[in-house]
């Protein structure tokens, strides 16, 4: 991925990792458009970063994604990068509730959203001299956190989808890059996460990610050091993987 001169759409770009990436790419000399459901956070980001544009997008609404893509490519014909950052993460107690509303919302936002938006934008991206589709999975795609079963499943699916999409696009000018964040200090699961000392500081995650993008132009997975124990856990064999999974989830559930 070239690091400057792009026109970049970032979903979920008004907060957390999405806002951080938007500001970083903006400073590098790219035209950045952030999209999301919450107008207030989009407006706050634009106000703090003159030159960034914004657009309302409800990634859960399948019917609106096509019209959003048409409007976006008409307004920004040079669009050549999409970052599928929008996502939700909700705890689920599978033994105490039969309500699957949170699971359905998570699948719609985290998995169907990127699939639908990719489908809507791909004809346009294929016309560009060089384009990038950047998906966002998670370390939890590789070591599931028992507290968030559907979130883990959607991120594992995004990893698989990214691999398949990359293969199908290998003879085109569209590359597929997968960001694999660890546990980062954002408000993905509420304000407590943003201050959790166990989480990677957001500024550190962004700095390391941008450095990898700059120095490893052929990388297909963007892996900061903090996420590598999760990403490569299975390489240690089944027994060690099972022990790591148990230890990881015991630590997650422990009071702190």
């Amino acid at each position: 991925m070239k690091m400057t001169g792009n026109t970049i759409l970032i979903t979920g770009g008004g907060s957390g990792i999405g806002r951080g990436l938007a500001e970083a790419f903006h400073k590098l000399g790219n035209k950045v458009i952030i999209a999301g459901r919450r107008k207030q956070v989009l407006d706050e980001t634009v106000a703090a970063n003159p030159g960034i544009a914004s657009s309302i997008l409800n990634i859960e609404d399948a019917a609106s994604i096509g019209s959003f893509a048409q409007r976006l490519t008409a307004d920004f014909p040079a669009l050549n990068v999409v970052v599928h950052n929008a996502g939700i993460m909700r705890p689920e107690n599978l033994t105490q509730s039969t309500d699957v509303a949170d699971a359905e919302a998570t699948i719609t936002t985290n998995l169907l959203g990127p699939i639908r938006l990719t489908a809507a934008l791909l004809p346009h991206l294929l016309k560009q001299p060089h384009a990038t589709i950047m998906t966002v999975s998670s370390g939890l795609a590789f070591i599931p956190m028992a507290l968030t079963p559907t979130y883990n499943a959607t991120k594992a699916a995004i990893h698989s989808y990214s691999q398949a999409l990359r293969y199908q696009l290998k003879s085109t000018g569209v590359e597929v890059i997968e960001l694999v964040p660890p546990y980062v200090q954002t408000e993905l699961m509420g304000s407590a996460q943003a201050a959790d000392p166990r989480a990677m500081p957001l500024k550190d995650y962004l700095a390391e990610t941008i450095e990898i993008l700059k120095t490893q132009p052929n990388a297909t997975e963007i892996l900061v050091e903090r996420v590598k124990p999760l990403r490569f856990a299975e390489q240690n064999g089944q027994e060690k993987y099972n022990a790591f999974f148990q230890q990881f989830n015991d630590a997650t559930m422990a009071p702190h």
Side-chain angles (χ1 to χ4, degrees):
M1 177 182 173
K2 64 176 184 175
M3 296 301 291
T4 191
N6 300 294
T7 300
I8 304 174
L9 168 67
I10 302 178
T11 66
S15 61
I17 291 174
R19 176 170 177 168
L21 289 173
E23 292 175 338
F25 283 132
H26 176 61
K27 289 175 183 176
L28 286 168
N30 299 283
K31 178 62 182 178
V32 176
I33 308 101
I34 56 173
R37 284 177 281 206
R38 294 180 294 163
K39 185 177 186 300
Q40 180 179 345
V41 297
L42 295 178
D43 290 346
E44 289 170 357
T45 302
V46 168
N49 300 275
I52 289 182
S54 69
S55 184
I56 295 292
L57 170 64
N58 181 1
I59 200 70
E60 285 193 81
D61 183 1
S64 71
I65 290 176
S67 58
F68 168 82
Q70 290 181 342
R71 186 171 65 252
L72 185 77
T73 53
D75 292 343
F76 301 97
L79 180 75
N80 68 321
V81 178
V82 56
V83 182
H84 292 297
N85 174 77
I88 60 174
M89 185 177 188
R90 296 174 181 171
E92 300 167 78
N93 189 327
L94 305 181
T95 65
Q96 294 186 0
S97 175
T98 58
D99 186 354
V100 295
D102 281 341
E104 290 173 347
T106 301
I107 292 167
T108 301
T109 298
N110 295 4
L111 181 57
L112 290 176
I115 290 173
R116 288 167 173 161
L117 187 55
T118 294
L121 290 175
L122 191 54
H124 173 84
L125 296 176
L126 285 167
K127 296 174 184 176
Q128 304 295 344
H130 182 79
T132 301
I133 296 171
M134 186 176 290
T135 60
V136 181
S137 64
S138 168
L140 300 182
F142 306 95
I143 288 284
M145 184 166 71
L147 183 65
T148 55
T150 305
Y151 177 85
N152 312 327
T154 60
K155 293 305 184 177
I158 285 293
H159 171 65
S160 177
Y161 175 78
S162 301
Q163 288 184 300
L165 181 63
R166 185 180 301 118
Y167 186 87
Q168 290 196 20
L169 293 174
K170 65 180 181 177
S171 298
T172 75
V174 183
E175 65 177 340
V176 179
I177 299 174
E178 178 185 349
L179 296 187
V180 188
Y183 183 38
V184 177
Q185 288 178 347
T186 70
E187 295 189 356
L188 184 61
M189 289 193 74
S191 58
Q193 179 178 336
D196 191 340
R198 300 175 301 174
M200 185 175 187
L202 177 58
K203 62 179 180 58
D204 294 346
Y205 173 73
L206 293 167
E208 191 173 346
T209 294
I210 294 298
E211 184 64 18
I212 294 170
L213 288 168
K214 286 180 177 178
T215 59
Q216 301 178 33
N218 296 319
T220 57
E221 295 180 14
I222 308 303
L223 305 169
V224 299
E225 290 299 318
R226 192 102 166 228
V227 82
K228 288 181 179 179
L230 280 70
R231 173 64 183 90
F232 300 119
E234 283 196 346
Q235 293 184 6
N236 297 320
Q238 190 66 50
E239 185 175 346
K240 289 184 177 179
Y241 174 87
N242 289 342
F244 186 92
F245 172 80
Q246 184 72 38
Q247 180 184 30
F248 174 77
N249 279 285
D250 287 348
T252 300
M253 299 302 291
H256 62 279

